Amino acid sequence: MSEERIQLKINGLPVEVAQGTSVAAAILNSGRTSFRQSVDEESRGPVCGMGICFECRVSVNGHPHIRACMTTCEAGMEVITFG
Ligand code: FES
């Protein structure tokens, strides 16, 4: 069985992932660990990986505060981190 691959952009750069990959995994696989900054300008990233902590929020297709760990990558998706 072959794995279907899709392309999206993270901070404007093309990334290819397997279908079903979470946005959080795609960001981490691209080498980033900082997803956003706290009000004290500290880097923040995924903690729980299951939608509870809200530390993984990014912009997806222009929508802010999307939990990356709860969002599945889609072809052509535009993801922006703030870390
Ligand atoms: S990692 Fe906790 S909500 Fe996404």
Side-chain angles (χ1 to χ4, degrees):
M1 185 162 98
S2 66
E3 178 181 83
E4 187 173 343
R5 309 282 294 176
I6 59 171
Q7 289 191 341
L8 63 150
K9 287 187 178 176
I10 298 175
N11 296 337
L13 299 175
V15 172
E16 185 175 291
V17 299
Q19 183 91 37
T21 300
S22 72
V23 170
I27 294 169
L28 291 168
N29 286 342
S30 75
R32 291 184 170 275
T33 56
S34 181
F35 284 40
R36 66 182 192 88
Q37 290 190 336
S38 71
V39 292
D40 294 328
E41 298 184 357
E42 294 177 353
S43 292
R44 309 299 296 185
V47 175
C48 71
M50 58 185 192
I52 295 173
C53 73
F54 284 70
E55 296 290 4
C56 64
R57 287 172 288 159
V58 295
S59 172
V60 175
N61 294 336
H63 300 284
H65 306 296
I66 302 297
R67 288 172 294 173
C69 71
M70 300 300 290
T71 306
T72 302
C73 291
E74 296 176 4
M77 185 178 263
E78 304 260 355
V79 176
I80 305 291
T81 65
F82 300 98

